[in-house]
Amino acid sequence: MPAAIRIENLQFRWKPTLPIILNIEFLEFETGETIFIKGPSGSGKTTLLNLIGGVLEPFKGKLEVLGQNFIGMSHRERDKIRGDNMGFIFQQFNLMPYLTVLENIMLPIEFSAQRRKRLNDMNISSIDEAKRLLGHLMMKVEEVISKPVTELSVGQQQRVAVARALIAQPSLIIADEPTSALDADARESFIKTLFQECKSVGSTLVFVSHDSQLGKYFDRQIDLTQINTAYRPVSL
Ligand SMILES: Nc1ncnc2c1ncn2[C@@H]1O[C@H](COP(=O)(O)OP(=O)(O)OP(=O)(O)O)[C@@H](O)[C@H]1O
Ligand SMILES: [Mg+2]
């Protein structure tokens, strides 16, 4: 089985005039592994996730994701790989405010023929899959499914964002602070659901959080301040 993600001497800077803020010599995630990444604010967690997700382009180095070399690849090609194979849970959910819960969850399916095919092959309708995920995430499905997402609480919106990321079994789930809007009980059941979904599909999970308490649930924990040699803590 090839590694899900392989990074060698990866460097990133926001602009040619700005310093390098991310420099990682080596990092490899196995397929199906659950990985917890921690680090203080500004240490580059979101930047690393956006590089892995193909949203940002590295300045130098090697970056292979799901067996594909991202270096030198066009934006469009990376977008396609992400659309077909990745579920993203953003730090600010990025739900579409004018759409309902169901419409939000279905968005990734509309943009990817491969996802539609996967559901088809499993003989599951996309609506049933959306409902199954919402139920699994402890939502009152019939009550919320047709509501605009703006009428949900923040914790509910976070779960809709998760259902959207999990729909049609992407092989890589990337989660940026997905538990920040949940209370302690909801957090634990949320993580369990996320793990069950990932394990049953064999998806790799890369999960970022400040909350180092959550680290113990994962196969592996990574402290970004240890592996990002470009990181300089703010001196007071
Ligand atoms: N769009 C941008 N343009 C320029 N610099 C940026 C941009 N976004 C982030 N940065 C800088 O890049 C560095 C890493 O930021 P990043 O968002 O990856 O940190 P983080 O670890 O996710 O922090 P947090 O825990 O606050 O989310 C920071 O120094 C930040 O100021
Ligand atoms: Mg961040």
Side-chain angles (χ1 to χ4, degrees), residues 14 21 40-47 91 210:
W14 287 99
I21 57 123
S41 184
S43 59
K45 303 182 297 298
T46 298
T47 307
Q91 205 163 1
H210 283 108

Side-chain angles (χ1 to χ4, degrees), residues 94-96 99 102-112 164 167:
N94 294 16
L95 295 172
M96 295 289 170
L99 299 182
L102 182 64
E103 287 163 345
N104 265 283
I105 297 174
M106 305 273 265
L107 274 179
I109 302 179
E110 296 197 5
F111 288 115
S112 166
R164 183 182 60 182
I167 196 132

Side-chain angles (χ1 to χ4, degrees), residues 29-72:
F29 300 153
E30 283 170 37
T31 299
E33 208 177 4
T34 57
I35 300 115
F36 182 81
I37 299 178
K38 63 182 171 185
S41 184
S43 59
K45 303 182 297 298
T46 298
T47 307
L48 175 60
L49 293 185
N50 283 327
L51 285 163
I52 291 171
V55 179
L56 293 173
E57 205 164 339
F59 159 60
K60 249 190 199 165
K62 212 179 190 182
L63 173 62
E64 283 172 14
V65 181
L66 302 171
Q68 310 251 18
N69 180 8
F70 270 14
I71 306 293

